[in-house]
Amino acid sequence: MKPTDIHQPDYFHKVVDCQWACPAHTPVPEYIRLIAAGRYSDAYMINWESNVFPGILGRTCDRPCEPACRRGRVEENNGEKPEPVAICRLKRVAADYKDDIRGRLPKAPARKNGKRIALIGAGPASLTVARDLAPLGYQLTLFDGDQRAGGMIRTQIPKFRLPESVIDEEVGYILDIGVEFRGGNRIDSLKQLLAGKYDAIFVGTGAPRGRDLEIPGRKEAAANIHIGIDWLSSVSFGHIDKIGKRVIVLGGGNTAMDCCRSSKRLGGEDVKVIVRSGFEEMKASPWEKEDAQHENIPILNYLVPLEFTHQNGRLTGVRFEKVKAEYDAAFGKPGRRKLVPTGEPAVHYECDDVLVAVGQENAFPWIERDIGIAFNEWGMPVVDKVTMQSSLPHVFFGGDSAFGPKNIIWAVAHGHDAAISIDKLCHGEDVSVRPPPMVTLASQKMGIHEWSYDNDISGDERYKVPLKDQKIALKNIKIEVELGFDPKLALAEAGRCLNCDVQTVFSPKLCIECDACVDICPMDCITFTPNGEEQELRTRLNAQAHNLTQDLYVSDALKTGRIMAKDEDVCLHCGLCAERCPTGAWDMQKFLLDMTHAGPGCRNKPQRKAA
C-alpha cells in the first residue's frame, strides 16, 4: 500500500465518522467538548455556522450522525445494542442553555451589492440560502404562501416535538439579518417571476403533496379519510382540534408517527398504525417508532389496505390483506423484497377516521414547461447534485423540491451549496468549481504525558432523556414531551464522546520500532508488518480489519523495511500510544474541518475594485 496522505482534507474528515455522515458536516466533537466545558453559547454558534437551526434540529433531526458514531462499533461486546453518543440531544443542550447570542450574529451591510435574489418557499433550504447571502449584501426576497416563515418546520412537525417559540427564535435570527419576507404571497407562475429580472432564483418549496390511496371506498368515505401532511398542517394552524375515537394511520414513515401521536392528543382513544412492510423496514426513525410505542400506540405490520368500508356515506373501517416478505436470491444473498399474500382471510379494523401517510411527492404546476427548465420522467426538475443548478442557469433548487423528501439537515446542506453557486454566478465564476474546506491540524500536547483535552474513555451507557409525565403530555398537543438534558446529564453524556477528531498522527522518522504502542493499545489496532496489497494486508494485522469503509493508516517504510498500519475502524483516540511512545513518534492532533460557505472564500479569482 502507498503511504497515507494525511494532508488530504477528506482523510481525517472520514475518521470523524459523525461529521462525515452529517450532510452539513457539523464539527460534532468540537461542540460536544464546549458543552462539557459549560460553553453553551460557543457550542451553539459552531452549530449555527453549519446546520443553521440548532434548537430545531436538536429536537427533530433525522440524526445521520448517530448511526455512524464510533461507540456503536467499539462497544459491540458491551451490550446487546451499543448506543451512540446522543449527539442530537446534546445539540439541543447548546440551544437551551446558551446566552443571548444575537450580538454574535452577522448583520446585513448598509450598502447592498446590487444583486437581487428571489427565494420561493420559506422552509429550511431557502432560509439557509438567505442566512448565507444576506450578510454579503444581496437583496433577498422570500416568498411563501403562509403568513409566517418556516415551511414544513412550522406546518408539519407537531408542537409537542417542536415548540412554536423555538421556530420563531431561529427563523427570526435569519429574517433579522435583512431579508424581505413576503408571507401570504404564493408564487403561481415561475415565468412571471422570471420577468422580475432577478439575478438568481432559488426554489425551496419542499414536497407539499401527500400521496393518496386510491382503493375502493375512497370517494364514498372521503369525509373521514385525510391526507397525513395536510391534516398535520391543519392541526398546526388550529383548523382541526379533534378527531374520532378510533383512528387508523396508514404508513410507516415519520409523518405516520406524527399523525398517530397527534391523534392521541386530539381525542383518539384507539389509535393504530398499520403498515404494509415489516417493522424493521419501516422508514420511520427508530426513536420515532419508540416514542409512538411508549404512548401505547400499536404498530401492525404486513397488512396491505384493500378497501375503505363505509355505510350510508360514512367510514366504518378498513379491510386488509395479510402479506409476507419473500426475497429473490441473488448470488447466494437475499435480493429484492416482494410482498406476497399469505392466503389467510382478509382482516377488517373498524375506525372513525383514517390518516393516509404513505409518502409525499412534489408538485410543480406553477412551473411552466416552456421556460427552459428540464424535468425528468418522474416530474422532478433535473438538478445538479453538487451545484443545485437547474438547466436554466440562474434557477436553483434545494431541499425536498430538488430530489424528493428527505429531512431538514439535507435541506440545510442543499441551501449552503446553492448559496455558493449563486454567489459565484453573480460574480461571473464557474459554479462547478467548488471551494475547499478550511482545515486545521494542531497538536494537543501540553507536556510529556499531558493533553489539552480529556482522553479518558467513559464506560457509561447512553443516558435517557427525561420525558413529561404522560398523563399531562397527552392532554395538550402543545406541551413538549421531551424535556431535554439538564447541565448535569449533558456533562455525563458529553463524556461518552471519544474525541474522534483528535487524531493519532504518526512520524516515521522518530519511530524506533520498539512496539510499545502495540503493547499498550487496548484495541489492537496498531501493527508493524511488511507492506502488501490492502486486501491481503488487512488479514495480517493484529486484529483483522474487515470493515472496508474505514481506511488503514499506512506509514512510509521504517528502518527495518516494515510499515506501521493502523486500523481506523476501532481506534478509541485514547492517546495511550502517544503517552507510551518514548520518542514522540505518535502525537495527538486535533483536526478541525470547517466548510467554506458563500462569500470571498468560495470564489476562485480576485475581484476587480470598482472604479
Side-chain angles (χ1 to χ4, degrees), residues 334-346:
R336 187 174 179 180
R337 186 204 68 175
K338 292 190 300 183
L339 295 176
V340 298
T342 63
E344 298 173 81

Side-chain angles (χ1 to χ4, degrees), residues 145-368:
D146 293 330
Q147 292 292 339
R148 302 174 74 185
M152 58 77 61
I153 293 173
R154 192 180 294 277
T155 62
Q156 293 173 31
I157 301 177
K159 300 302 178 282
F160 59 81
R161 288 180 57 210
L162 178 60
E164 193 96 37
S165 59
V166 178
I167 304 171
D168 291 342
E169 176 189 352
E170 296 196 326
V171 170
Y173 288 157
I174 297 169
L175 298 183
D176 289 346
I177 296 175
V179 179
E180 180 189 359
F181 175 55
R182 296 188 185 178
N185 196 328
R186 186 181 303 276
I187 300 300
D188 294 318
S189 167
L190 184 56
K191 181 184 287 187
Q192 185 176 343
L193 192 66
L194 287 168
K197 304 299 182 185
Y198 289 98
D199 295 282
I201 293 174
F202 178 80
V203 179
T205 50
R209 187 166 62 190
R211 290 192 180 126
D212 208 339
L213 199 57
E214 298 295 343
I215 57 175
R218 176 66 179 90
K219 293 180 180 178
E220 293 83 350
N224 293 92
I225 301 171
H226 319 279
I227 301 300
I229 63 169
D230 297 338
W231 183 82
L232 286 172
S233 181
S234 295
V235 171
S236 177
F237 288 120
H239 304 317
I240 290 176
D241 59 7
K242 61 183 178 180
I243 199 167
K245 291 184 178 181
R246 300 172 302 173
V247 181
I248 289 176
V249 178
L250 300 176
N254 288 339
T255 299
M257 300 302 105
D258 285 340
C259 285
C260 70
R261 297 180 68 198
S262 296
S263 296
K264 287 280 278 191
R265 289 158 170 80
L266 296 182
E269 297 176 0
D270 175 12
V271 180
K272 298 182 181 72
V273 176
I274 302 183
V275 193
R276 60 186 292 128
S277 70
F279 184 82
E280 296 300 327
E281 298 164 315
M282 290 170 60
K283 292 183 178 179
S285 304
W287 49 90
E288 298 277 11
K289 294 186 283 187
E290 289 172 10
D291 288 342
Q293 291 177 314
H294 177 71
E295 294 177 356
N296 301 313
I297 299 171
I299 297 175
L300 310 181
N301 297 93
Y302 291 124
L303 292 168
V304 175
L306 294 174
E307 176 190 12
F308 295 113
T309 60
H310 52 92
Q311 188 173 4
N312 299 324
R314 186 167 183 83
L315 178 73
T316 58
V318 187
R319 194 162 63 89
F320 295 88
E321 179 181 42
K322 291 186 176 182
V323 297
K324 61 182 179 180
E326 289 187 355
Y327 296 87
D328 295 326
F331 304 106
K333 298 179 180 179
R336 187 174 179 180
R337 186 204 68 175
K338 292 190 300 183
L339 295 176
V340 298
T342 63
E344 298 173 81
V347 293
H348 181 263
Y349 290 101
E350 296 180 350
C351 65
D352 302 308
D353 285 283
V354 169
L355 299 175
V356 180
V358 294
Q360 294 169 230
E361 56 192 9
N362 295 77
F364 297 104
W366 53 279
I367 298 182
E368 295 84 354

Side-chain angles (χ1 to χ4, degrees), residues 22 24 26 44-58 91 101 105 123-132 153 166-167 169-175 177 408-409 411-413 415-416 597:
C22 174
T26 303
Y44 184 89
M45 291 308 300
I46 283 179
N47 273 279
W48 192 82
E49 286 295 331
S50 58
N51 61 51
V52 184
F53 306 103
I56 292 169
L57 285 167
K91 190 190 316 292
I101 50 84
L105 301 177
S126 293
L127 289 168
T128 300
V129 175
R131 201 290 302 269
D132 286 0
I153 293 173
V166 178
I167 304 171
E169 176 189 352
E170 296 196 326
V171 170
Y173 288 157
I174 297 169
L175 298 183
I177 296 175
I408 299 171
I409 192 63
V412 169
H416 285 315
H597 294 154

Side-chain angles (χ1 to χ4, degrees), residues 21 39 80 107 116 191 235 259 392 434 443 449 481:
R39 295 170 57 185
E80 184 178 337
K107 296 176 175 58
R116 299 173 65 240
K191 181 184 287 187
V235 171
C259 285
L392 197 59
R434 311 305 285 181
S443 177
H449 300 297
V481 176

